[in-house]
Amino acid sequence: MSLLIERSGALASLQDGGRFGVRHLGVTQGGAADWVSQASANWLLGNPLQAATVEITLGNLVLLAEAEGYLALCGADLAATLEDQPITPGRSFNIRKGQRLRFGTPQLGVRAYLAAPGGFTAPQLLGSCATVRREGLGGLHGNGQPLVTGDLLAWNGSPASRRELKSEQTPALFTDAPLHVVLGAQIGDFSGQSLFEAFNCSWTVDQRADRMGIRLLGPMLRCSRQTMISEGVPLGAIQVPPDGQPIVLLNDRQTIGGYPRLGALTPLAVARLAQCLPGTEVQLKPAALQAAQREQRLLLAQWH
């Protein structure tokens, strides 16, 4: 079974759970920026949570079904329609041969995730098909390129099960709640005033935002540490360069960094930030490591 891409805006890519165990080689993680929505889309069809999906950023995608099958859609509302009938995110649906699935412009959020039974098929490179353009790894053809017009997305089989997401199973991705931060090793090097402003002022998502990182605009943060040896950076790390404007590192980040860090966003906070359009205001809030781990365990438990 397959879908033909009739139109692509160069911001759609194949993403699975990511590439792990290879950062010592300088290879980054990749994978779905909003891992929560990706896992939810896979769960609806009974797939492994990290199965390959299409990450659709900002819409502008048209798909033609070449056979009948089932799909699932979660994440952002990109004004998706199936033969001009709206498709609401958070559900699975049947698509018949000759029907067109269209994605328009963002109504709520940035990234939508389209899942197929068993996951879309693509070459596995270093244990993953996650598309990382900067490294030339992954994707439909294994070369790190996004999906383009004329590509054929294939999958095998029928859904292992067709489920429905209950309201309590849908994490609040689109909310004004603060983004939780687990504090980092360099937190004591920031001035008291900077720490107060970091966690009590609003930050604006900058236009400079992609799968590598998102810059936040707000008060200038000052750090006494002038130099430091580069060290490994985790998903969600909040680096503060000399201009004092933090950068939150996402899935396609570099593997090491030499800027001091406030800490790192929790995994759920990373998923929420990945759905924020430029101009969105966000707030940061410190979180205890144990509380963040408990939140993550509860989130994962709802899918099992």
Side-chain angles (χ1 to χ4, degrees):
M1 287 175 268
S2 58
L3 294 170
L4 174 67
I5 299 180
E6 287 197 331
R7 185 182 73 205
S8 177
L11 288 176
S13 62
L14 279 183
Q15 299 292 347
D16 57 15
R19 198 169 275 112
F20 294 94
V22 289
R23 278 202 288 169
H24 65 290
L25 303 175
V27 178
T28 196
Q29 171 182 340
D34 174 3
W35 65 275
V36 174
S37 294
Q38 185 212 35
S40 297
N42 278 320
W43 183 87
L44 286 169
L45 298 177
N47 293 345
L49 297 182
Q50 297 186 343
T53 60
V54 179
E55 181 179 89
I56 306 159
T57 304
L58 300 176
N60 193 28
L61 182 71
V62 180
L63 304 170
L64 172 66
E66 297 200 330
E68 183 171 358
Y70 285 97
L71 301 171
L73 181 67
C74 286
D77 182 355
L78 302 181
T81 60
L82 179 61
E83 292 299 297
D84 298 325
Q85 296 300 310
I87 297 292
T88 305
R91 53 167 289 200
S92 62
F93 57 95
N94 177 247
I95 186 168
R96 296 191 298 274
K97 182 178 180 179
Q99 290 188 321
R100 285 177 172 82
L101 178 61
R102 304 173 187 271
F103 293 87
T105 55
Q107 309 299 302
L108 179 66
V110 175
R111 295 174 169 90
Y113 292 84
L114 184 69
F120 291 101
T121 57
Q124 296 285 305
L125 295 169
L126 299 176
S128 169
C129 72
T131 306
V132 181
R133 191 169 189 173
R134 177 170 54 87
E135 295 180 346
L137 285 177
L140 187 61
H141 305 293
N143 58 3
Q145 294 303 303
L147 298 170
V148 298
T149 300
D151 278 344
L152 201 62
L153 297 166
W155 69 95
N156 297 306
S158 302
S161 61
R162 291 191 66 192
R163 300 161 168 161
E164 293 184 3
L165 281 173
K166 300 177 182 178
S167 57
E168 61 268 22
Q169 288 179 287
T170 307
L173 295 175
F174 308 103
T175 174
D176 293 333
L179 302 175
H180 287 160
V181 179
V182 177
L183 302 182
Q186 292 98 40
I187 192 69
D189 295 325
F190 291 90
S191 69
Q193 181 64 30
S194 289
L195 292 179
F196 177 85
E197 291 174 337
F199 299 113
N200 288 277
C201 295
S202 294
W203 297 92
T204 302
V205 174
D206 190 25
Q207 294 280 352
R208 292 166 290 180
D210 56 21
R211 285 182 44 83
M212 188 173 178
I214 294 177
R215 185 179 290 268
L216 302 178
L217 302 179
M220 182 177 180
L221 303 182
R222 300 184 182 277
C223 181
S224 62
R225 185 183 291 257
Q226 299 299 312
T227 60
M228 61 178 284
I229 298 173
S230 293
E231 58 186 22
V233 286
L235 179 65
I238 306 174
Q239 286 194 330
V240 182
D243 67 359
Q245 301 297 278
I247 302 171
V248 182
L249 301 181
L250 298 185
N251 301 65
D252 292 0
R253 67 195 180 278
Q254 69 276 20
T255 55
I256 60 173
Y259 293 133
R261 304 198 303 267
L262 283 176
L265 294 184
T266 66
L268 179 56
V270 169
R272 287 180 50 210
L273 182 61
Q275 291 289 6
C276 291
L277 284 163
T280 303
E281 288 195 354
V282 298
Q283 287 189 310
L284 305 176
K285 180 180 180 181
L289 175 61
Q290 293 79 5
Q293 291 172 335
R294 184 168 57 252
E295 175 189 68
Q296 183 72 356
R297 286 194 294 267
L298 290 173
L299 185 55
L300 293 173
Q302 71 181 4
W303 288 309
H304 294 287

